Amino acid sequence: MSLRRRIPMLRWSFLRMAVGARNIFTTGQIGDGREAAARDFVLANARRGDIDDVLATIDRFAYEKSFLINVGDEKGALLDAAVRRADPRLVLELGTYCGYGALRLARAAPQARVFSVELAEANAEIARAIWEHAGVADRVTCVVGTIGDGGRTLDTLAGHGFGPGALDLLFLDHDKNAYLADLQSILDRGWLHRGSIVVADNVRLPGAPKYREFMRREQGRLFDTVEHKTHAEYQSLLPDLVLESVYLESEHLG
């Protein structure tokens, strides 16, 4: 790996991201058009219908063009392994961004229906274009909304078959401050079953301390959690954690 790949601070797109990070919380994007550029790069360079090549092309864009904030290749391999362990039929991702995470979910679980919740309609449109190009638009669905909207998005998901014990794998990769509250909302609905797996990205960087403390407190009771030491996306300098938590209860007891 080249020095510019290993050390993100040497890349202008990383520095530009740091300047525009506040935009993420309002628009879901960095603010310099890199998300739309990633879509255009995929459509121009990746083989249509080839999910492997689409993922590799997104990774190439993130390394060589503009830094992206999806889970990335290194942590993506951890996600892939968790998905294979879960062998899911119904998957929920919180935080679509450009659709990369959902692509990995769809590839690792070819029999699953994948739903991804995204705050920003602009990101949803980008992700849908990429999914269509990859050939998975028939089994990956983006729902625009947020779990913390008073139940509207949860009710929408319920209309798509989410219900008690139906959710096999949950991937958290959105607002880190919302990880715990959104997980609790899903637990309150009773959607997890014994053996369901919850994967959380960026638990160290930028960090989800309340979520991590909850999983430590519930270790061996509500969840069995493994903390995977890894690196933040698309570089090998900054450390990160991916938490993989297996649900231990047959139903949420409140």
Side-chain angles (χ1 to χ4, degrees):
M1 181 180 290
S2 70
L3 191 62
R4 289 183 70 253
R5 281 192 172 198
R6 190 177 71 84
I7 303 177
M9 284 75 80
L10 297 178
R11 302 176 58 197
W12 164 246
S13 64
F14 181 87
L15 297 174
R16 176 63 182 83
M17 182 194 71
V19 172
R22 63 184 180 277
N23 294 326
I24 289 291
F25 300 105
T26 56
T27 69
Q29 298 185 347
I30 300 301
D32 60 0
R34 71 182 64 193
E35 293 84 9
R39 174 202 59 207
D40 295 345
F41 188 78
V42 167
L43 270 55
N45 293 282
R47 291 186 295 273
R48 174 174 287 276
D50 187 336
I51 190 170
D52 293 331
D53 195 48
V54 170
L55 282 165
T57 301
I58 297 173
D59 288 335
R60 181 154 56 96
F61 179 90
Y63 277 122
E64 299 176 1
K65 303 294 184 180
S66 291
F67 193 92
L68 296 174
I69 59 171
N70 44 246
V71 65
D73 49 355
E74 180 182 349
K75 292 186 293 182
L78 296 172
L79 176 62
D80 295 347
V83 174
R84 289 192 292 268
R85 282 188 281 273
D87 189 23
R89 293 298 178 269
L90 184 62
V91 175
L92 177 61
E93 174 188 49
L94 303 186
T96 309
Y97 193 45
C98 295
Y100 179 94
L103 278 178
R104 295 200 80 111
L105 294 166
R107 183 178 66 173
Q111 304 304 314
R113 292 183 300 141
V114 178
F115 289 83
S116 186
V117 173
E118 170 57 40
L119 174 67
E121 177 63 42
N123 283 344
E125 292 177 0
I126 288 169
R128 289 170 184 143
I130 290 175
W131 297 338
E132 192 279 331
H133 192 80
V136 298
D138 59 333
R139 55 192 182 92
V140 182
T141 301
C142 187
V143 174
V144 177
T146 175
I147 300 301
D149 63 5
R152 292 188 299 276
T153 297
L154 288 169
D155 289 344
T156 297
L157 291 169
H160 286 289
F162 285 77
L167 180 55
D168 301 307
L169 186 132
L170 172 64
F171 178 41
L172 304 174
D173 195 18
H174 60 316
D175 179 0
K176 315 314 164 190
N177 293 323
Y179 277 17
L180 182 54
D182 289 355
L183 173 63
Q184 190 61 59
S185 294
I186 290 167
L187 288 172
D188 288 344
R189 294 253 175 161
W191 287 358
L192 300 184
H193 59 79
R194 185 174 181 85
S196 294
I197 293 179
V198 181
V199 179
D201 188 20
N202 299 124
V203 175
R204 177 167 178 172
L205 187 71
K210 292 181 180 179
Y211 179 87
R212 188 182 186 191
E213 173 57 30
F214 171 82
M215 286 303 180
R216 286 179 165 180
R217 187 170 65 247
E218 295 296 337
Q219 177 64 24
R221 298 193 297 177
L222 200 61
F223 287 95
D224 180 18
T225 297
V226 174
E227 295 191 349
H228 297 285
K229 293 182 179 180
T230 181
H231 299 95
E233 44 269 27
Y234 298 120
Q235 50 77 48
S236 61
L237 178 67
L238 304 174
D240 199 1
L241 287 172
V242 169
L243 267 58
E244 179 182 344
S245 304
V246 179
Y247 190 54
L248 299 178
E249 295 293 330
S250 58
E251 61 180 356
H252 181 52
L253 301 178

